[in-house]
Amino acid sequence: GWTKPDVILVTGDSYIDNPYIGIAVIGKVLIDAGYKVAIIAQPDINSEEDIMKFGEPELFWGVSAGCVDSMVANYTPLKKFRKNDDYTPGGQNNARPDRATIKYSNLIRRYFKNTRPIVLGGIEASLRRISHYDFWSNKIRKSVLFDAKADIIVYGMGERAVLELASSLKNRKDYQDIRGICYISKEKKEGYLDLPSHQTILTSKEKFISMFHLFYDNNDPITARGLIQKTDTRYLIQNPPAFYLSQEELDRIYELDFERKQHPVSKKKGQVKALDTIGFSIPSHRGCYGECNFCAIAVHEGRTIRWRSEKSILQEAERFQSHPDFKGIVNDVGGPTANMYGFECKKKLEKGICNHKRCVFPEICPTLKPNHLKQISLLKKLKKIKGIRKVFVASGIRYDMVQEDRKHGNNYLQEIVNHHVSGQLKIAPEHISRKVLDIMGKPDSKSLLWFREKFFKFSKKAGKNQFLTYYFIAAHPGCTENDMRDLNKFISKNLKINPEQVQIFTPTPSTYSALMYYTETDPFTGKKIFVEKDHLKKEKQKKIITSKRRN
């Protein structure tokens, strides 16, 4: 009985109806609020057939590149095209265009002149919402809003902002004061902070560093001010971030009727590999105060942890029982970092984040007080649910926080070791050189060795032959071949493994590490740092620790 949808969402992923998929969450939230939503997944950009199949929306188009920045999805750190895509049917990387946000927006404009507002969202738009360094073109690019010729960006976790925007458009009200959005204006907005202009940062790396500090420090809903950046003759306006969802609001979203399946239309072309991981995993919280300099989570999801209630998570696990594909295995319970569930700094919750001070680097702030008691309780209750055979924790664990929790850290690790490891547990030391770790924003190797010793001690006590999987990064800004040789010696002496999970650093947009890569400067000290930019030498750094050792 529909004459037209209220909203049409366009995504670079195959459509997977799962709470880990951003476009699925936004679609469900809009439907729950009473809107009619249609979704176009991986449209052909060379034809009108896909983009025109639902006509024009009543309110707006929502455009996302998908769960991964399209350039990260399509290219390796050495800029070679990736053959595989976990979010495309059959796994072949043949359906997501480069710079998908721009391509999809242009596709809409090609076939719908003077159409309803085009609203960009998802991680690609969120991290490219201001002038940013783009590794793949090796230049500073404008906000994606200008290049896509779109109308609005909903940045960060967009449920609240997208509902307010839909309501404003439906009721023909001005949307320009909605928190969590960006738009283009001919005039400045009074009271907002002026960032260095796009033209200025093209010629001054110092101004680019200054701009990024201001941008990064204004990402917390409690403390942030609105931002303005002049681009050519117009201005990018970034309103302050949307306020975080309450626990009740978060619970409601995850209680919506996700089918946890790939859409039948795309399934005809083959399975999506992502479902193997996310199919029966449970998101327990959002945000990360780890603030690793190479990671974009702090800018996209926020630096304050918001967690679901234990009741909501247990109910989600119970609903698995009625799913025809469920085999009794919960693949993961976690978030960006598994063991940040259930506690936060009280000061931060009341007054917002501390600028120029981090929660867990260089040391864990004494006001944070890591406490794993709630996660222990949650995991114990999950594994008792009838029909559940195993509950795994596959998200990364911050081992320094386990060590810092003097009351419950050992009990937490014992619970993990005894019941929640699928043969291997992932941890991410990334490096061991103090110089490199400082540039990365990571803890030192002392807590790594403490955690390793405890893990194997508890595994032996439980009679289990279990392993740790270590993630390392090669060619990060500040890292030399000598640093990699030191890492190689450390691995040989202390870890006694042949590392397999080693990635060459990729400068992703709107991260401090990308800023360092471009400017060859430590933005916190102003000192010049070594940055490896030669592809062959990047590969050599990786091979220093991946070459097989002789027994």
Side-chain angles (χ1 to χ4, degrees):
W2 292 10
T3 54
K4 64 166 65 176
D6 294 315
V7 178
I8 298 177
L9 302 177
V10 183
T11 175
D13 298 330
S14 172
Y15 185 71
I16 308 168
D17 200 57
N18 185 288
Y20 278 91
I21 304 297
I23 212 78
V25 172
I26 293 298
K28 295 286 185 184
V29 165
L30 284 165
I31 291 167
D32 186 56
Y35 296 99
K36 298 188 285 289
V37 179
I39 295 172
I40 303 173
Q42 298 186 318
D44 182 353
I45 61 168
N46 297 310
S47 164
E48 75 275 13
E49 185 176 345
D50 292 331
I51 204 67
M52 295 187 75
K53 62 184 170 185
F54 297 121
E56 193 173 23
E58 184 70 31
L59 299 178
F60 68 89
W61 298 86
V63 173
S64 169
C67 291
V68 185
D69 183 286
S70 60
M71 299 306 286
V72 175
N74 288 350
Y75 296 93
T76 71
L78 299 181
K79 299 185 181 179
K80 295 177 182 177
F81 189 75
R82 296 186 195 271
K83 295 179 181 178
N84 303 318
D85 187 336
D86 288 354
Y87 295 92
T88 294
Q92 189 177 350
N93 189 14
N94 58 6
R96 189 196 313 269
D98 291 355
R99 309 196 187 283
T101 301
I102 297 172
K103 295 281 178 63
Y104 293 154
S105 184
N106 290 343
L107 181 65
I108 294 165
R109 294 277 186 215
R110 192 184 316 154
Y111 295 106
F112 296 94
K113 310 296 182 186
N114 302 315
T115 187
R116 303 298 187 196
I118 296 175
V119 181
L120 310 181
I123 197 157
E124 179 167 287
S126 185
L127 299 184
R128 296 173 181 269
R129 64 187 186 264
I130 61 161
S131 296
H132 57 279
Y133 172 67
D134 180 78
F135 168 64
W136 299 270
S137 59
N138 192 31
K139 67 180 185 180
I140 302 293
R141 292 181 67 102
K142 300 174 184 178
S143 165
V144 70
L145 198 55
F146 289 89
D147 286 342
K149 297 179 175 60
D151 300 286
I152 303 163
I153 293 174
V154 169
Y155 69 88
M157 307 302 275
E159 297 96 341
R160 189 184 298 284
V162 84
L163 285 177
E164 291 183 20
L165 179 62
S167 176
S168 294
L169 293 172
K170 180 181 179 180
N171 296 301
R172 292 180 171 78
K173 292 183 178 178
D174 183 9
Y175 58 76
Q176 292 188 347
D177 287 329
I178 294 174
R179 297 179 71 107
I181 71 166
C182 302
Y183 60 93
I184 297 170
S185 173
K186 294 179 180 179
E187 299 175 352
K188 291 185 176 184
K189 192 160 184 176
E190 191 175 337
Y192 279 28
L193 277 174
D194 243 327
L195 299 177
S197 72
H198 179 76
Q199 282 66 32
T200 299
I201 64 174
L202 290 177
T203 56
S204 171
K205 290 183 177 180
E206 291 76 16
K207 290 292 185 182
F208 185 43
I209 292 171
S210 171
M211 183 217 76
F212 192 82
H213 281 316
L214 283 171
F215 166 73
Y216 190 87
D217 289 343
N218 284 277
N219 271 288
D220 181 80
I222 297 175
T223 61
R225 291 178 61 184
L227 302 176
I228 303 167
Q229 184 178 40
K230 188 176 183 182
T231 304
D232 299 325
T233 59
R234 296 181 294 169
Y235 297 91
L236 175 77
I237 308 294
Q238 176 179 299
N239 289 345
F243 289 113
Y244 295 135
L245 300 177
S246 67
Q247 187 175 84
E248 291 75 17
E249 290 170 321
L250 206 56
D251 285 352
R252 178 170 175 79
I253 286 171
Y254 290 106
E255 287 161 11
L256 297 173
D257 60 336
F258 295 97
E259 294 187 35
R260 293 183 175 270
K261 287 184 178 182
Q262 182 182 356
H263 195 279
V265 169
S266 67
K267 193 173 181 180
K268 293 174 185 175
K269 303 175 186 176
Q271 295 278 359
V272 286
K273 195 166 185 280
L275 263 178
D276 295 344
T277 305
I278 65 173
F280 296 102
S281 292
I282 301 176
S284 59
H285 60 284
R286 293 181 176 181
C288 183
Y289 41 68
E291 291 190 76
C292 301
N293 287 328
F294 50 81
C295 180
I297 291 169
V299 169
H300 184 63
E301 288 198 23
R303 287 178 268 175
T304 300
I305 304 299
R306 297 88 70 197
W307 61 90
R308 295 167 62 187
S309 69
E310 188 179 84
K311 179 183 177 183
S312 172
I313 294 171
L314 294 174
Q315 286 176 343
E316 183 170 343
E318 287 168 356
R319 288 195 294 273
F320 288 175
Q321 314 305 314
S322 60
H323 198 289
D325 299 331
F326 185 61
K327 308 298 183 188
I329 306 295
V330 177
N331 297 318
D332 185 27
V333 181
T337 301
N339 60 323
M340 289 184 183
Y341 174 82
F343 62 92
E344 246 299 0
C345 167
K346 290 182 180 179
K347 181 181 176 184
K348 193 204 298 187
L349 292 173
E350 293 174 3
K351 298 182 179 179
I353 54 104
C354 302
N355 280 338
H356 313 301
K357 183 180 179 183
R358 298 190 174 188
C359 295
V360 293
F361 177 80
E363 305 290 341
I364 294 175
C365 179
T367 62
L368 180 61
K369 297 180 175 57
N371 186 334
H372 294 80
L373 187 60
K374 286 186 178 180
Q375 194 175 42
I376 295 170
S377 170
L378 173 65
L379 291 171
K380 284 183 174 180
K381 289 177 181 177
L382 280 168
K383 70 179 188 241
K384 289 180 181 178
I385 293 175
K386 186 179 178 181
I388 289 182
R389 295 187 289 123
K390 272 288 182 183
V391 178
F392 294 126
V393 174
S395 306
I397 286 177
R398 283 288 297 224
Y399 44 79
D400 54 333
M401 288 170 49
V402 178
Q403 183 181 25
E404 183 70 15
D405 184 358
R406 309 289 189 227
K407 285 186 178 180
H408 307 292
N410 277 339
N411 292 337
Y412 172 71
L413 186 51
Q414 280 187 306
E415 175 69 23
I416 294 290
V417 165
N418 291 347
H419 303 289
H420 308 288
V421 177
S422 177
Q424 300 182 75
L425 181 68
K426 294 190 297 188
I427 54 175
E430 312 298 6
H431 215 286
I432 54 88
S433 162
R434 184 65 268 172
K435 175 194 71 173
V436 178
L437 290 171
D438 282 346
I439 291 173
M440 289 179 167
K442 295 285 292 187
D444 63 31
S445 58
K446 291 179 184 176
S447 53
L448 167 63
L449 295 175
W450 173 89
F451 185 87
R452 182 182 184 276
E453 181 185 352
K454 290 279 187 181
F455 177 84
F456 288 114
K457 177 184 174 182
F458 293 153
S459 292
K460 185 177 180 180
K461 186 177 178 182
K464 297 193 172 191
N465 187 27
Q466 299 180 145
F467 303 94
L468 288 171
T469 298
Y470 306 87
Y471 285 74
F472 297 104
I473 294 178
H476 188 277
C479 182
T480 65
E481 289 180 17
N482 284 336
D483 293 317
M484 295 306 288
R485 292 188 187 99
D486 289 342
L487 175 57
N488 190 44
K489 291 174 187 174
F490 177 89
I491 291 169
S492 181
K493 179 183 176 182
N494 297 288
L495 307 184
K496 299 177 177 62
I497 59 163
N498 286 308
E500 295 179 359
Q501 300 295 337
V502 182
Q503 60 180 348
I504 295 170
F505 167 71
T506 299
T508 49
S510 294
T511 61
Y512 266 113
S513 293
L515 180 70
M516 296 178 204
Y517 186 90
Y518 171 68
T519 63
E520 300 178 27
T521 302
D522 183 333
F524 306 106
T525 65
K527 295 180 180 178
K528 288 293 178 182
I529 56 174
F530 170 77
V531 177
E532 186 57 80
K533 296 190 176 182
D534 182 276
H535 283 4
L536 291 177
K537 290 181 178 179
K538 289 179 182 182
E539 186 68 37
K540 185 178 178 182
Q541 282 203 21
K542 179 179 177 178
K543 286 181 177 178
I544 288 171
I545 64 169
T546 54
S547 298
K548 296 294 182 183
R549 293 173 176 77
R550 294 176 182 175
N551 293 327

